[in-house]
Amino acid sequence: NLLRSRAMAAESCCPPGSLGPALTEDDARTVNGVVDGKLYYVAPPAPSTAGVVVVYDIYGFSGGRIKGVCDAIAAAGFHVCMPDVYDGTDMKAQGGFGDPTAMAWLKGHTEWPTFSKNLAPAFEYLKAKGVAKVGAIGFCWGCYGVVKLAVDATIQCGVCCHPSLKIGNMMFGEAEEDQVAEVKCPIAFMPAGNDPGHYNDGTL
């Protein structure tokens, strides 16, 4: 556990060469959704019973482009809800990778009982909107949560963009193959150009 903690503090969830957030949210940037408590919700342009829960990356609820991503998914015909699982902060604000206190904070938010509890309000919100079928899309760190939702059969399908399932191995010793072994719905991995080959070569 001590060795894993030291390794965690020195390692990022992303492979070398990965870029940071492309945009920084500011007052000049407009979005289509509404923030309801700790949720960002966007309605589809026409009646729909399909929904998507968005699980952000380590840059959090106000990471530059994430609300725009929610808007784009909603425009395709889905109710979209993104919960603020970090409760107003993010990894950078906590000290970033390499900071032991920040890593402990991130581990606490990644532990599935806590992570699941923080995601639950989004599913409840979508159900109240009449959503009958729901999928989830995660980004980087958020993909760990999407896979767990698939294992729990909470979602009908999942998408993992620039997936970082290595976070489960870094923090809990969970091999990536073991994480996906028990999924109960289709999962699409959408790796970036510098992501490990096992996300698109059939290993997972």
Side-chain angles (χ1 to χ4, degrees), residues 104-124:
W105 171 86
L106 184 62
K107 182 177 181 180
H109 282 78
T110 308
E111 291 173 339
W112 187 234
T114 298
F115 202 165
S116 178
K117 180 181 178 180
N118 290 336
L119 289 170
F123 290 93
E124 294 166 5

Side-chain angles (χ1 to χ4, degrees), residues 18-190:
S18 297
L19 300 176
L23 299 171
T24 299
E25 187 173 68
D26 57 38
D27 292 339
R29 186 173 186 276
T30 59
V31 291
N32 296 325
V34 294
V35 175
D36 185 303
K38 295 180 181 178
L39 302 173
Y40 180 76
Y41 168 75
V42 197
S48 174
T49 58
V52 176
V53 171
V54 174
V55 190
Y56 53 56
D57 57 23
I58 61 167
Y59 297 104
F61 196 61
S62 294
R65 69 170 83 181
I66 194 63
K67 291 189 178 74
V69 170
C70 294
D71 297 348
I73 296 171
F78 299 91
H79 294 268
V80 178
C81 193
M82 179 175 67
D84 186 8
V85 297
Y86 289 167
D87 196 16
T89 186
D90 58 59
M91 186 62 176
K92 184 177 180 181
Q94 292 294 317
F97 284 97
D99 182 272
T101 300
M103 293 304 293
W105 171 86
L106 184 62
K107 182 177 181 180
H109 282 78
T110 308
E111 291 173 339
W112 187 234
T114 298
F115 202 165
S116 178
K117 180 181 178 180
N118 290 336
L119 289 170
F123 290 93
E124 294 166 5
Y125 196 94
L126 290 177
K127 183 177 180 181
K129 293 291 184 180
V131 169
K133 292 185 177 181
V134 62
I137 181 169
F139 296 85
C140 195
W141 170 86
C143 297
Y144 179 81
V146 170
V147 169
K148 289 292 189 182
L149 289 169
V151 170
D152 287 354
T154 304
I155 54 177
Q156 276 69 59
C157 62
V159 176
C160 294
C161 302
H162 178 44
S164 182
L165 299 186
K166 66 178 284 188
I167 203 79
N169 194 19
M170 283 170 58
M171 295 187 167
F172 312 116
E174 300 174 359
E176 293 175 61
E177 293 86 349
D178 294 339
Q179 291 176 50
V180 303
E182 301 297 327
V183 297
K184 299 176 178 65
C185 69
I187 294 285
F189 290 114
M190 300 181 69

